[in-house]
Amino acid sequence: MKRRCGVLLPVASLPSRYGIGCFSREAYEFIDFLAQAGQSYWQILPLGQTGYGDSPYQSFSTYAGNPYFIDLEQLIERGYLTKNDAELCDVGENPSYVDYAAVYHSRFAALRKAYENSPYALTPSGKWAGEAYESEREAMARFCEESADWLADYALYSAVKSEFGGKAYIEWDEEIRLRRPEAMRRWREELADEIRFYEFQQFFFAQQWQALKEYANRKEIQIIGDIPIYVAFDSADTWSHPELFLLDEKGYPTVVAGCPPDGFSATGQLWGNPLYDWDYHKETKYDWWAHRIEHCFRLYDVVRIDHFRAFDEYYAIPYGDETAEFGKWMPGPGYALFEELKRRLGRKQIIAEDLGFLTPSVLRLVKKTGYPGMKVLQFAFDSREESDYLPHNYTHNCVVYTGTHDNETMRGWYENVNRRDRAFARKYVNVRRADTAAWDFIRCAFMSVADTAVIPMQDYLNLGDEARINTPSTLGGNWEWRMLPGQATPELAARMRELAMIYKRM
């Protein structure tokens, strides 16, 4: 990667009229802002459909996109919705935060109305049934055919899940839970319209995202996507491909994913994702992984792989444990996986999220892949010991962040860190004023030798922890913050551009 800079901002955190950031006019305006600010990258969080807890790292599918991101105004322009239909959506009371309950209930109702009043319905009515719209139906048919390896299972999973009142698939009737052929045929016939509705959502998600990405690329902005290493237990992936995971004969995980006790949590992080059967993946020459990464590079220009250290060793927690304290480390696939990916897909731009406790073998794996790792300034200023996260210890091949979606904002960190570490950081970074310290840390990241610097938008806006995205090991209050209209000003773009010019990141 060349010497460049970018901004971290989840799609959900964009301003918009309907309760959550989406692929709307505001997204295009944000790309214009990035171009004016001399940025080369827009880093986002996973685009998957969020499940329980609203986390983009716990998605109902590793392939399907989040229907919340579909821009309703584009559906209005096509005549599938009226402006009044969209304005009836409950968007919550505070434009600074996503009200997921309100969005869930109103957004799917609006999308259902758009589906029924379109040429894509299973049985189109009125003018939409006419031959004039045959090309639209053919376009969706091509999308469904090209995406058949995941879309058919995802749409059926989603339709059956809705029929069972949103219950996890492990609680469904045995015949469909175990995918017995007769049950699969029956449910596909009975839920044909509901299945078509979920295909409709994915068709429009793909159309709108590709248009937005192409616009960004024309502006010389590359998209850095983010993929979780694991899939959710309650997901179309686990239901349709149980052979990929360590499950017992009843379909329950034997062990689940997480992290041991660390600075974020005294009892560790219990994520609950099923763990991969790496022996099976090796036997199949990592075919599923190759397809997954190939799909990601159709969505993004650069891919950040979350929790990269688990490819070397992963933490396995007995299923049913209430904390992550009693897990154990198990060997992952190592370099063999990435050797196969390079053989099949060629060299790709991948960022390895190599944060946390790193053993010599993890460091060797990251170095052997050649992928840039991550440096987070908030992890640098432990006054008790020398840190690899201090900029004078960087190599060129890394990406430096002030913080990530899992950290406090830079301003929040500086206000809350203990006095000794703050004093060390103040001297190292040459902080002159507490209320503008965030910009001093941004400058420190920019002047480092790291090839790439990515800064959360909240730090450019100098916001406190009211703008934090996620606090690991907590439920509620996460993934909610949104930027307000008008905050990304021309004056801010000019200041960002100047910094990019000074430190040769344009």
Side-chain angles (χ1 to χ4, degrees):
M1 300 174 79
K2 297 179 180 179
R3 189 168 173 83
R4 295 288 186 262
C5 57
V7 172
L8 169 59
L9 182 74
V11 171
S13 295
L14 288 165
S16 77
R17 296 184 61 184
Y18 301 115
I20 190 169
C22 61
F23 305 146
S24 62
R25 171 179 52 83
E26 291 85 352
Y28 288 84
E29 291 173 349
F30 183 67
I31 290 169
D32 292 339
F33 169 83
L34 293 176
Q36 293 161 9
Q39 306 298 297
S40 297
Y41 298 110
W42 176 15
Q43 180 170 331
I44 58 177
L45 297 187
L47 288 175
Q49 182 181 352
T50 50
Y52 308 110
D54 308 310
S55 169
Y57 294 90
Q58 293 284 354
S59 176
F60 289 134
S61 169
T62 194
Y63 289 96
N66 193 339
Y68 295 162
F69 296 160
I70 296 171
D71 177 27
L72 298 184
E73 291 181 343
Q74 293 183 49
L75 301 183
I76 294 170
E77 291 172 5
R78 289 173 175 245
Y80 308 154
L81 287 176
T82 66
K83 191 173 181 181
N84 186 59
D85 291 331
E87 290 180 349
L88 287 175
C89 289
D90 183 356
V91 298
E93 298 179 356
N94 189 342
S96 294
Y97 297 96
V98 179
D99 183 336
Y100 281 99
V103 170
Y104 172 79
H105 289 292
S106 63
R107 186 58 57 93
F108 283 104
L111 291 173
R112 165 63 76 174
K113 192 162 191 176
Y115 162 72
E116 292 173 348
N117 185 40
S118 80
Y120 306 101
L122 188 64
T123 308
S125 60
K127 67 176 183 178
W128 304 115
E131 292 184 1
Y133 296 99
E134 195 58 36
S135 61
E136 282 90 338
R137 285 187 283 273
E138 289 174 356
M140 182 169 165
R142 283 194 300 273
F143 169 77
C144 292
E145 183 178 353
E146 292 166 0
S147 309
D149 57 336
W150 64 267
L151 182 58
D153 279 320
Y154 164 75
L156 177 59
Y157 162 88
S158 300
V160 175
K161 186 177 186 65
S162 178
E163 189 71 9
F164 279 102
K167 288 182 180 178
Y169 85 86
I170 202 70
E171 300 179 47
W172 298 352
D173 293 347
E174 184 176 281
E175 289 78 8
I176 188 61
R177 176 170 64 84
L178 298 178
R179 297 172 59 85
R180 290 178 178 154
E182 180 56 37
M184 294 283 283
R185 282 193 296 271
R186 179 169 60 84
W187 284 102
R188 285 192 191 281
E189 292 173 4
E190 291 182 4
L191 299 180
D193 186 62
E194 189 74 5
I195 289 168
R196 181 77 171 175
F197 173 50
Y198 285 102
E199 292 171 342
F200 165 86
Q201 293 173 39
Q202 293 307 307
F203 175 60
F204 273 91
F205 173 94
Q207 274 197 340
Q208 292 188 6
W209 171 248
Q210 286 302 324
L212 184 64
K213 181 182 179 297
E214 288 170 9
Y215 183 80
N217 291 165
R218 288 198 300 273
K219 292 280 185 173
E220 298 187 346
I221 305 295
Q222 289 194 305
I223 304 296
I224 301 178
D226 193 337
I227 67 166
I229 184 173
Y230 297 122
V231 305
F233 177 35
D234 183 24
S235 67
D237 310 280
T238 314
W239 174 64
S240 60
H241 293 288
E243 69 279 3
L244 301 174
F245 308 98
L246 295 172
L247 307 177
D248 64 20
E249 65 279 1
K250 295 182 179 179
Y252 287 89
T254 55
V255 284
V256 294
C259 278
D262 57 15
F264 281 123
S265 173
T267 59
Q269 299 179 43
L270 180 60
W271 302 334
N273 309 75
L275 293 168
Y276 296 110
D277 183 345
W278 285 118
D279 289 338
Y280 174 85
H281 287 272
K282 182 179 180 180
E283 290 171 6
T284 56
K285 296 184 177 180
Y286 304 104
D287 187 63
W288 183 83
W289 273 98
H291 282 295
R292 184 186 188 192
I293 298 298
E294 186 177 32
H295 176 78
C296 288
F297 278 100
R298 288 195 289 268
L299 294 174
Y300 316 119
D301 301 296
V302 184
V303 172
R304 171 193 178 271
I305 302 181
D306 189 56
H307 197 54
F308 195 85
R309 66 128 28 252
F311 292 112
D312 177 66
E313 287 184 311
Y314 60 91
Y315 194 64
I317 304 161
Y319 180 68
D321 279 14
E322 295 184 358
T323 72
E325 296 170 274
F326 306 109
K328 62 179 181 178
W329 290 103
M330 302 291 291
Y335 185 69
L337 167 60
F338 301 100
E339 187 174 40
E340 183 64 21
L341 292 180
K342 288 178 181 178
R343 187 189 70 80
R344 293 178 59 163
L345 307 178
R347 295 193 66 84
K348 296 291 187 180
Q349 292 191 85
I350 290 175
I351 297 170
E353 190 272 280
D354 57 347
L355 305 176
F357 176 67
L358 302 181
T359 62
S361 59
V362 177
L363 296 172
R364 286 194 298 270
L365 175 61
V366 175
K367 184 176 182 179
K368 192 170 184 178
T369 64
Y371 303 148
M374 291 175 56
K375 304 295 183 184
V376 177
L377 282 181
Q378 289 185 25
F379 297 160
F381 302 105
D382 186 337
S383 56
R384 298 167 297 180
E385 59 185 10
E386 178 77 358
S387 171
D388 290 339
Y389 297 106
L390 284 166
H392 67 261
N393 290 323
Y394 295 175
T395 62
H396 289 280
N397 191 34
C398 67
V399 184
V400 59
Y401 298 77
T402 46
T404 74
H405 61 278
D406 281 335
N407 296 108
E408 296 180 88
T409 65
M410 201 67 241
R411 179 168 185 160
W413 179 88
Y414 190 76
E415 291 172 349
N416 297 328
V417 72
N418 67 71
R419 292 175 61 184
R420 179 178 294 180
D421 290 356
R422 182 166 53 241
F424 174 40
R426 185 174 65 247
K427 291 177 182 178
Y428 189 99
V429 179
N430 194 26
V431 175
R432 300 296 181 88
R433 291 171 45 192
D435 62 341
T436 58
W439 274 88
D440 295 320
F441 286 96
I442 294 170
R443 183 179 293 272
C444 180
F446 268 58
M447 68 170 57
S448 76
V449 299
D451 284 338
T452 309
V454 176
I455 309 299
M457 191 64 193
Q458 301 96 304
D459 291 347
Y460 278 123
L461 295 172
N462 196 24
L463 299 176
D465 278 349
E466 73 280 358
R468 182 171 184 167
I469 297 292
N470 180 50
T471 303
S473 297
T474 65
L475 290 175
N478 295 319
W479 320 107
E480 294 179 353
W481 175 77
R482 296 179 70 200
M483 186 167 63
L484 290 171
Q487 284 189 300
T489 63
E491 293 77 17
L492 177 58
R495 189 177 181 186
M496 293 165 63
R497 186 180 186 88
E498 181 182 34
L499 207 60
M501 291 179 66
I502 291 171
Y503 296 108
K504 308 300 181 186
R505 293 193 177 276
M506 286 183 60

